[in-house]
Amino acid sequence: MLEITDLVHSYGSHRVLDGVSIRAAEGELVCVVGPSGCGKSTLLRSVAGLIRPTGGRVLIDGQPVERIPDNLAVVFQDYSRSLYPWMTAANNVALPLRRRGLDRRRRRDAAMAALDQVGLADAAEKYPWEMSGGMQQRVSIARALAYRPSLLLMDEPFGSVDAQTREDLEDLVLRVCAHHGMTTLLITHDIDESVYVGDRVIVLTRSPARVAADLPVDLGESRDQIATRQLDAFVRLRAEVGRLVRGGSPTPTVLEKH
Amino acid sequence: MNVIRAVGRLWLVPVTLVAWEIATRAAGQPFFPPPSATLARMGEMWLSGPPAHLLLTEQAMSDFGPSLARLFAGWALAAVLGVAAGVAIGCSPRLSGYLDPLIHLGRAVPPPLLVPFFLALLKLGTPAQLATIVFGIIWPILLNTIDGARTVDRQHLETARIFGFSTAQRLTRVIVPAAMPKIFAGLRLALSLALILLIVAEIFAGSGGLGYRLLSAQRTYLYADMWGCLVVLGLLGYLLNSAFLLLERRVLAWHRSARQTT
Ligand SMILES: Nc1ncnc2c1ncn2[C@@H]1O[C@H](COP(=O)(O)OP(=O)(O)OP(=O)(O)O)[C@@H](O)[C@H]1O
Ligand SMILES: [Mg+2]
């Protein structure tokens, strides 16, 4: 579904991505984790078509990304600048749906349904600044959901909310992505989160970024904030990802299993 | 509480009036009539009409009507032109590269100097007056709109790109609202300038209206009339500004609240 091949990007002479290849199958939730400043956002922005990478190829459903694809939605890290403060939550969610050719009523219905899914049916008429950070990020997720993309990109979507909210949002994303069968690329620097949320975890090296490892996550479909995090498999995988992010080399045992 | 505070702030007004009254009476200069005489003259000129017309006299209609119409027409015209051009220039680095020097040149020309030019170019009366007002007040609107459109948050624009907003959507739903706080600051400044240029235009380029009344009162040594005009202009400016602030508070509610919470 998503094929990133040998992606290279430099800002001037500063090379940020150094041949990154990532594949995601239909409906898969792939987490990309890497040290801070290694080029994760650059990767996401190349996939989204917001920047033109220096080299390499990005295919979505076999189509090269040249302009911004119309079946793609993004949830940014900084929710406070992603929602439009001059519009209510419902209007923020409904605005992109014009492109889907829906009339006013159906845009509104779709927006309400999406807000309901993220548990914000009551907040439809609230403005972003009347909501907590977690609520704003949920509106942002609702906007992406209502848009019905086949590919969802998230750039550290839970980076700036508190721990409890973060867990709620992780479960929310797991639920809605499975429900809609969306292919999702979730970028994070949180090792725990990548293992908990992902079907697969891609670890990037320090800048310039390369793929250090591509680890399948064998934790089953349904996950639970307490129980899953206690599983041996979770603990082992988390340790492995942690080692890799810090620049260690892959442990043979973890890789051998696959 | 609010009332007490408002009164607390307003006490200087009557004190000044009384002081002025005493001073002007003591001086006995015809050029400085006491406030009471000015007020009486204002009532006589403008507020002694039939109750059906809210006491407004014929003269009030002919003084205020055309002036207010010009003021608002000029302001609205400048707002439309300034915002439209400002958004276009602010969104296009190329356009602003070409036009920036011209804009700063145009802004530097004192607008009253252009009255003769407009008089030669346009008809005496409303067209030349409107041109004077529009040319004089468009700059703060234009410059603020350009600045506002240029400094829209990058993520707001990227969100618009990701979700494939049409050009119209991007302009009306993202860029103009994002620039609105700056546009409003420009519009408010323009409104106060409009009052000044209205008087300039009426003095130099036409007959009728408050500016004309002011000029003729001064020429015919009717100093109470002249002071009445000055007072009413001051009041008008104050009222317009207050009304505009109310409007701004409503339209930019999101802006004030968003800034308070983040
Ligand atoms: N527009 C830009 N122009 C020049 N350099 C940039 C630009 N954007 C990012 N960089 C540089 O590229 C490198 C990678 O940035 P990027 O934002 O992709 O990293 P990241 O992994 O997302 O970081 P973080 O974890 O802090 O979000 C950084 O060194 C950054 O300074
Ligand atoms: Mg980043």
Side-chain angles (χ1 to χ4, degrees):
Chain A
M1 197 273 157
L2 172 67
E3 279 180 67
I4 304 168
T5 317
D6 278 334
L7 200 66
V8 174
H9 191 73
S10 307
Y11 293 107
S13 61
H14 174 36
R15 173 156 294 199
V16 178
L17 300 178
D18 192 23
V20 173
S21 301
I22 296 173
R23 233 143 273 251
E26 188 81 46
E28 205 174 15
L29 202 167
V30 176
C31 283
V32 176
V33 55
S36 173
C38 77
K40 302 182 294 294
S41 298
T42 306
L43 171 69
L44 178 130
R45 294 162 65 75
S46 312
V47 175
L50 286 170
I51 54 174
R52 185 177 279 276
T54 322
R57 239 181 9 161
V58 179
L59 297 182
I60 295 177
D61 282 330
Q63 295 292 316
V65 172
E66 265 149 18
R67 310 232 307 314
I68 291 168
D70 67 354
N71 55 353
L72 170 148
V74 177
V75 174
F76 291 101
Q77 165 173 11
D78 193 355
Y79 50 78
S80 66
R81 290 162 54 221
S82 161
L83 298 175
Y84 297 120
W86 46 87
M87 286 182 206
T88 60
N91 286 337
N92 265 292
V93 176
L95 185 59
L97 301 180
R98 292 220 182 170
R99 195 187 196 188
R100 296 282 181 253
L102 302 180
D103 63 31
R104 201 187 170 78
R105 270 259 333 261
R106 302 198 18 226
R107 288 203 299 269
R108 171 101 199 150
D109 292 346
M112 294 307 290
L115 283 171
D116 192 34
Q117 265 195 315
V118 301
L120 285 180
D122 295 338
E125 297 314 316
K126 282 205 159 95
Y127 285 86
W129 36 270
E130 295 174 308
M131 296 189 249
S132 70
M135 286 165 83
Q136 291 180 47
Q137 195 58 302
R138 277 193 278 169
V139 175
S140 199
I141 294 171
R143 176 171 64 187
L145 287 181
Y147 193 64
R148 301 223 171 280
S150 36
L151 178 61
L152 176 63
L153 304 177
M154 300 183 141
D155 190 358
E156 303 198 25
F158 320 130
S160 31
V161 295
D162 62 88
Q164 177 64 47
T165 310
R166 181 176 193 122
E167 295 187 353
D168 293 346
L169 289 174
E170 285 168 5
D171 288 332
L172 173 71
V173 164
L174 276 174
R175 190 155 40 79
V176 295
C177 288
H179 181 256
H180 290 281
M182 266 183 301
T183 313
T184 306
L185 194 67
L186 189 147
I187 285 176
T188 176
H189 62 247
D190 185 313
I191 294 157
D192 250 63
E193 178 170 283
S194 68
V195 176
Y196 179 72
V197 177
D199 293 325
R200 252 169 61 222
V201 177
I202 310 269
V203 184
L204 297 182
T205 61
R206 202 166 292 284
S207 187
R210 253 175 264 132
V211 174
D214 182 343
L215 307 168
V217 181
D218 282 329
L219 296 172
E221 283 287 291
S222 73
R223 301 188 187 178
D224 178 86
Q225 288 288 356
I226 311 279
T228 303
R229 288 178 200 269
Q230 286 173 336
L231 294 177
D232 276 350
F234 182 89
V235 175
R236 238 182 301 120
L237 204 50
R238 182 180 57 189
E240 176 70 3
V241 173
R243 192 159 39 240
L244 288 164
V245 167
R246 286 179 187 84
S249 50
T251 320
T253 51
V254 177
L255 289 182
E256 259 167 28
K257 279 173 62 187
H258 302 283
Chain B
M1 275 323 282
N2 276 341
V3 178
I4 296 175
R5 235 187 289 146
V7 170
R9 265 187 283 134
L10 285 176
W11 65 271
L12 206 54
V13 176
V15 170
T16 311
L17 279 178
V18 169
W20 196 333
E21 180 83 29
I22 294 169
T24 46
R25 276 181 193 230
Q29 280 248 7
F31 193 77
F32 291 107
S36 57
T38 305
L39 272 180
R41 183 66 193 122
M42 284 168 71
E44 201 182 315
M45 274 195 296
W46 296 316
L47 279 182
S48 54
H53 288 164
L54 294 170
L55 298 181
L56 289 173
T57 56
E58 293 271 307
Q59 188 180 339
M61 300 290 198
S62 70
D63 284 348
F64 297 131
S67 287
L68 286 176
R70 271 173 216 135
L71 180 79
F72 284 118
W75 185 60
L77 203 60
V80 171
L81 292 176
V83 171
V87 169
I89 296 169
C91 290
S92 156
R94 264 191 48 200
L95 208 55
S96 69
Y98 288 126
L99 294 181
D100 268 358
L102 277 184
I103 291 171
H104 288 286
L105 202 70
R107 189 177 67 136
V109 177
L113 294 186
L114 286 164
V115 175
F117 170 72
F118 289 133
L119 279 178
L121 204 66
L122 301 160
K123 279 211 300 267
L124 185 71
T126 308
Q129 288 170 332
L130 277 185
T132 308
I133 296 175
V134 169
F135 186 87
I137 71 173
I138 199 170
W139 308 108
I141 305 177
L142 183 67
L143 290 170
N144 274 25
T145 309
I146 292 175
D147 186 38
R150 219 177 253 167
T151 53
V152 179
D153 194 300
R154 191 179 76 163
Q155 199 159 310
H156 285 338
L157 293 174
E158 286 185 346
T159 301
R161 282 174 65 199
I162 289 288
F163 291 112
F165 289 5
S166 64
T167 307
Q169 263 182 319
R170 214 176 62 236
L171 286 176
T172 61
R173 300 311 179 89
V174 182
I175 294 174
V176 171
M180 214 40 121
K182 283 186 178 150
I183 294 178
F184 263 72
L187 284 175
R188 189 144 74 88
L189 192 54
L191 190 58
S192 58
L193 284 178
L195 197 60
I196 301 172
L197 282 156
L198 169 77
I199 303 308
V200 169
E202 285 180 342
I203 286 180
F204 291 114
S207 55
L210 269 175
Y212 183 74
R213 162 81 49 205
L214 180 69
L215 185 70
S216 58
Q218 188 226 338
R219 282 190 180 148
T220 48
Y221 312 109
L222 297 172
Y223 293 119
D225 290 31
M226 188 192 81
W227 278 95
C229 288
L230 292 179
V231 170
V232 104
L233 281 170
L235 282 177
L236 196 59
Y238 181 76
L239 283 179
L240 287 174
N241 193 51
S242 308
F244 187 81
L245 279 179
L246 276 181
L247 177 74
E248 178 174 302
R249 205 163 292 178
R250 289 194 60 124
V251 175
L252 294 184
W254 65 266
H255 181 63
R256 294 194 333 139
S257 316
R259 271 211 313 210
Q260 274 163 14
T261 50
T262 49

